[in-house]
């Protein structure tokens, strides 16, 4: 049967099981939007294309499915860029579809023309400019395949308007064959054997678990490896929830704002078992000083991550779930009793703590209360800055896909639209965006999207009147010269702002108001902004100064 390119897109999205897409219209995507009008796909009209990309990303991280966003050419497409880069850095499966000017106008500086495939080449796993309608169905199938397989990532399809209008037979390929693209899923048996032997012989092993464990749904296998062999587990920001924070073997996050005990344990370990993590600089600190006594096993699906920043002794390329399953069959339990005792001593000596004077609203206390009120069952999204690090430190994530946060890119303005996407994907979950007063203003327009579409996300603004994380660096390393980090008083009034959009606003200025406000937000079937006026100059500790060894922490000691 013949159909238009626009119709082919809809049919292809249906074949891929797409239930929801986020986006914004414009001239050259009109044929596609005309088809979306009565397509069996829920379409969420955002208020800025960046919101669409982050919502698709939040949806993908919360559900494990591919997130889809759609925008017009030129400014619509470039507005997606930060969202695509954010997804790329954190290996999030996403398909972005952009309209493009007519094929014969490409390169002509046509109205609203931008070379979006050129612009996004370094921030997509792959991208396509559709030049012939006969390729369209295949390209869409490939795009979803590439987005969700191997190390996932965003794929962009740039679709000229004339191709949306042309007609051809709809032929859906049975399978995808892309030359040179064959991710390795199963670990090499020889490497598994070597790794098992290294684990068995180790005295001070530690698992360093990253976002790959969440992506490959490997939490059960990870838990088996850790608990059967008494190996402690530390996690990256993206790895949180991969192993329950409430388990006695859990050490919390490592790195720049990791727990002191996780960082000491990494530095003193004799064997690091890295799973789905990439040794980024926020984790390693000074690379030359990183874990000097440790052998390193690195399990990763992306061969390009292995030995990229740290030399690895036993690389195992494969899917974390498979490889951990293989390892679990091969490993014999090492004797870690003395090591666990040492770690318990560190835990007792250097706990995470804050100065909890009873009359103040401490941001850490707010997060503890959100944890208590949601019993750890919520999905937490974050903005970026101190709010994000406190959300990582003070909420106990016990399940995968319960923290949704921009790690690699550190994108302010991510958390609110990501919360909208997460709530759409997981409608029964309570979804909280833990926000900063700076970050929330970067995609505040999505309040309209959330209210109009009845997506009752909750936003906890840790309002410190500062671009707090930058102010913290200025306090510690720039002699308290707060150059352009003070946001200057009570502007905007977040309560009135929420109300202006038809949401509920609650202001909290006293500690005893914290919990009632959280409870009220959870009980309210609407979007809620809670404006927590927190201690203004509170810092995130421990902190490893950039470029230092990770056991050289400020503020982590007893
Ligand atoms: C888009 C973007 N611009 C700038 C930065 C640099 N930056 C990192 S944290 C931060 C401050 C964030 O302030 P706020 O949202 O109030 O969070 P707080 O640290 O106060 O909790 C800034 C400006 C960034 N991460 N993202
Ligand atoms: Mg702030």
């Amino acid at each position: 049967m013949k159909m238009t390119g626009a119709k082919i897109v809809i049919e292809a999205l249906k074949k891929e099981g797409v239930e929801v897409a986020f986006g914004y219209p414009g001239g050259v995507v009109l044929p596609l939007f005309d088809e979306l009008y009565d397509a069996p796909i829920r379409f969420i009209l955002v208020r800025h294309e960046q919101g669409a990309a982050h919502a698709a990303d939040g949806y993908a991280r919360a559900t494990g499915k591919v997130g889809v966003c759609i925008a017009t050419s030129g400014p619509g497409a470039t507005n997606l860029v930060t969202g695509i880069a954010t997804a790329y850095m954190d290996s999030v499966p996403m398909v972005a579809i952009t309209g493009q000017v007519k094929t014969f106008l490409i390169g002509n500086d046509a109205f609203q023309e931008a070379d979006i495939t050129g612009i996004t080449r370094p921030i997509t796993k792959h991208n396509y400019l559709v030049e012939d309608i006969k390729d369209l169905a295949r390209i869409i199938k490939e795009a979803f395949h590439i987005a969700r397989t191997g190390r996932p990532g965003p794929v962009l399809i740039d679709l000229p308007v004339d191709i949306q209008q042309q007609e051809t037979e709809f032929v859906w390929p049975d399978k995808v064959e892309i030359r040179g693209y064959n991710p390795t899923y199963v670990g090499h048996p020889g490497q598994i054997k070597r790794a098992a032997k290294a684990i068995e012989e180790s005295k001070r092993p530690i698992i360093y678990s990253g976002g790959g464990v969440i992506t490959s749904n490997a939490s059960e296998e990870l838990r088996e490896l850790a608990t059967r062999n008494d190996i402690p587990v530390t996690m990256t920001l993206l790895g949180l929830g991969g192993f329950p924070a409430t388990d006695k073997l859990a050490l919390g996050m490592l790195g720049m704002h990791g727990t002191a005990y996780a960082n000491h344990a990494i530095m003193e370990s004799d064997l690091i078992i890295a799973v789905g993590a990439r040794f980024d600089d926020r984790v390693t600190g000074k690379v030359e000083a990183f874990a000097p006594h440790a052998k390193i096993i690195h399990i990763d699906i992306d061969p390009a991550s292995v030995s990229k920043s740290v030399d690895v002794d036993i690389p195992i390329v494969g899917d974390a779930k498979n490889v951990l399953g293989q390892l679990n069959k091969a490993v014999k339990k090492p004797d870690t009793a003395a090591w666990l005792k040492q770690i318990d001593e560190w835990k007792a000596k250097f706990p995470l703590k804050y100065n909890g004077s009873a009359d103040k609203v401490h941001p850490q206390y707010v997060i503890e209360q959100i944890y208590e009120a949601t019993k750890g069952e919520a999905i937490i999204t974050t903005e970026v800055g101190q709010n994000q690090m406190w959300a990582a430190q003070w909420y106990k994530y016990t399940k995968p896909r319960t923290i949704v946060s921009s790690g690699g890119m550190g994108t302010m303005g991510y958390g609110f639209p990501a919360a909208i996407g997460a709530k759409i994907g997981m409608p029964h979950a309570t979804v909280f965006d833990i926000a900063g007063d700076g970050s929330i203003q970067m995609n505040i327009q999505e309040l309209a999207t959330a209210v109009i579409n009845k997506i009752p996300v909750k936003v906890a603004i840790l309002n410190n009147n500062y671009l707090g994380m930058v102010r913290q660096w200025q306090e510690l390393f720039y002699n308290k010269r707060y150059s352009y980090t003070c946001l200057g008083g009570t502007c905007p009034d977040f309560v009135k702002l929420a109300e202006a959009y038809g949401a509920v606003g609650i202001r909290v200025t006293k500690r005893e108001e914290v919990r009632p406000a959280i409870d009220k937000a959870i009980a309210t079937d609407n979007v809620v902004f809670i404006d927590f006026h927190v201690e203004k100059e509170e810092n995130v500790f421990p902190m490893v100064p950039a470029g230092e060894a990770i056991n050289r922490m400020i503020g982590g000691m007893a």
Side-chain angles (χ1 to χ4, degrees):
M1 198 175 76
K2 281 207 164 189
M3 358 176 140
T4 63
K7 181 86 178 158
I8 287 174
V9 174
I10 303 295
E11 289 306 310
L13 294 182
K14 277 163 50 186
K15 294 260 187 216
E16 287 296 336
V18 173
E19 289 161 356
V20 59
F22 304 86
Y24 209 84
V28 296
V29 275
L30 273 170
L32 180 54
F33 271 77
D34 194 57
E35 288 297 339
L36 278 168
Y37 193 51
D38 39 23
I41 292 172
R42 185 172 179 199
F43 186 78
I44 303 292
L45 175 67
V46 294
R47 294 298 181 272
H48 185 302
E49 291 87 350
Q50 184 183 353
H54 292 327
D57 170 320
Y59 173 87
R61 294 194 209 214
T63 62
K65 300 176 194 167
V66 179
V68 176
C69 56
I70 302 176
T72 193
S73 64
T78 55
N79 273 351
L80 292 177
V81 166
T82 301
I84 293 171
T86 302
Y88 182 70
M89 286 290 270
D90 290 347
S91 309
V92 177
M94 180 193 287
V95 170
I97 301 173
T98 49
Q100 182 55 281
V101 302
K102 290 180 181 164
T103 39
F104 72 86
L105 281 175
I106 290 175
N108 214 38
D109 291 341
F111 177 64
Q112 295 194 324
E113 181 187 357
D115 174 10
I116 198 63
T117 47
I119 291 168
T120 60
R121 186 146 297 133
I123 54 164
T124 47
K125 187 172 170 189
H126 195 56
N127 69 22
Y128 297 90
L129 170 63
V130 185
E131 291 176 285
D132 185 336
I133 188 172
K134 295 217 165 55
D135 299 330
L136 180 57
R138 173 187 55 81
I139 284 175
I140 298 174
K141 180 146 180 140
E142 280 181 15
F144 277 85
H145 178 76
I146 292 170
R148 69 161 76 91
T149 54
R151 179 181 183 170
V155 179
L156 180 134
I157 304 170
D158 199 21
L159 184 57
V161 61
D162 50 332
I163 292 185
Q164 294 170 45
Q165 290 162 327
Q166 288 164 16
E167 291 196 345
T168 192
E169 293 289 326
F170 175 64
V171 185
W172 190 241
D174 317 323
K175 56 178 198 278
V176 174
E177 276 172 71
I178 306 165
R179 235 193 292 160
Y181 180 71
N182 283 308
T184 305
Y185 289 100
V186 178
H188 187 283
Q191 295 298 81
I192 299 283
K193 241 191 219 162
R194 286 178 62 202
K197 183 157 177 279
I199 294 172
E200 192 184 331
E201 287 169 357
S202 68
K203 300 257 174 308
R204 302 187 305 280
I206 183 167
I207 295 169
Y208 149 46
S209 177
V213 168
I214 314 282
T215 308
S216 77
N217 300 315
S219 308
E220 271 314 310
E221 289 76 5
L222 177 77
R223 193 203 294 245
E224 189 180 331
L225 181 69
T227 53
R228 265 214 348 230
N229 301 297
D230 273 342
I231 304 175
V233 182
T234 180
M235 286 160 274
T236 67
L237 176 66
L238 295 191
L240 293 172
F243 185 76
T246 44
D247 194 289
K248 63 182 190 325
L249 290 167
L251 304 183
M253 187 169 71
L254 81 166
M256 182 175 275
H257 292 294
T259 62
Y261 39 93
N263 286 347
H264 285 307
I266 278 277
M267 291 296 279
E268 296 302 318
S269 74
D270 66 357
L271 180 71
I272 295 176
I273 307 157
V275 194
R278 62 188 173 86
F279 295 88
D280 85 294
D281 53 282
R282 284 294 189 265
V283 160
T284 60
K286 186 178 186 178
V287 177
E288 310 84 79
F290 181 74
H293 320 292
K295 245 192 198 170
I296 298 179
I297 300 171
H298 190 184
I299 300 165
D300 206 293
I301 196 148
D302 181 5
S305 298
V306 176
S307 292
K308 186 174 175 182
S309 47
V310 165
D311 283 335
V312 168
D313 301 279
I314 307 175
I316 309 178
V317 175
D319 179 75
K321 190 179 181 73
N322 292 336
V323 174
L324 290 174
Q326 291 172 276
L327 260 183
N328 281 332
K329 288 198 194 111
V331 169
K332 291 203 193 77
K333 189 176 179 307
D335 178 6
T336 59
W339 175 228
L340 293 182
K341 192 162 157 273
Q342 163 73 78
I343 286 174
D344 282 341
E345 282 170 27
W346 284 324
K347 278 189 172 176
K349 204 164 157 201
F350 312 123
L352 265 187
K353 64 182 171 50
Y354 62 95
N355 174 12
S357 53
D359 55 331
K360 300 208 166 123
V361 183
H362 291 278
Q364 302 93 331
Y365 175 76
V366 171
I367 292 164
E368 284 182 306
Q369 288 303 308
I370 293 174
Y371 172 73
E372 297 290 334
T374 59
K375 299 174 183 72
E377 296 286 326
I379 295 176
I380 302 294
T381 73
T382 80
E383 300 295 339
V384 169
Q386 294 181 316
N387 58 84
Q388 177 183 37
M389 292 297 107
W390 285 319
Q393 291 178 334
W394 294 95
Y395 197 95
K396 295 191 194 93
Y397 303 93
T398 52
K399 294 185 194 124
R401 303 190 187 283
T402 54
I403 175 165
V404 170
S405 187
S406 168
M409 193 73 173
T411 306
M412 289 173 69
Y414 170 81
F416 183 38
I420 292 172
K423 179 72 181 170
I424 287 178
M426 303 296 280
H428 302 299
T430 297
V431 179
F432 259 96
D433 173 28
I434 294 181
D437 45 333
S439 300
I440 190 64
Q441 296 187 64
M442 285 211 176
N443 274 314
I444 194 100
Q445 75 287 345
E446 302 309 332
L447 254 170
T449 309
V451 170
I452 300 269
N453 291 288
K454 298 196 167 35
I455 308 163
V457 297
K458 319 296 168 190
V459 179
I461 303 173
L462 305 179
N463 187 346
N464 53 12
N465 195 30
Y466 279 107
L467 300 174
M469 184 57 92
V470 185
R471 186 208 56 74
Q472 175 170 343
W473 284 52
Q474 290 171 332
E475 176 185 333
L476 299 174
F477 312 119
Y478 290 86
N479 213 5
K480 292 202 177 180
R481 284 161 54 85
Y482 293 164
S483 179
Y484 304 106
T485 43
C486 181
L487 291 168
T490 50
C491 176
D493 179 329
F494 286 111
V495 171
K496 280 192 187 154
L497 186 85
E499 287 168 359
Y501 277 96
V504 174
I506 307 173
R507 178 163 298 116
V508 170
T509 55
K510 296 193 193 75
R511 187 179 171 100
E512 62 270 22
E513 296 167 350
V514 170
R515 184 56 185 272
I518 293 167
D519 290 338
K520 184 177 167 200
I522 293 169
T524 302
D525 189 24
N526 194 352
V527 180
V528 182
F529 266 38
I530 316 178
D531 181 22
F532 291 103
H533 285 213
V534 297
E535 278 296 284
K536 289 185 168 40
E537 299 196 26
E538 189 92 31
N539 286 330
V540 182
F541 289 130
M543 178 180 193
V544 179
E548 290 267 11
I550 60 166
N551 54 358
R552 313 245 339 217
M553 288 161 279
I554 307 173
M557 307 302 144

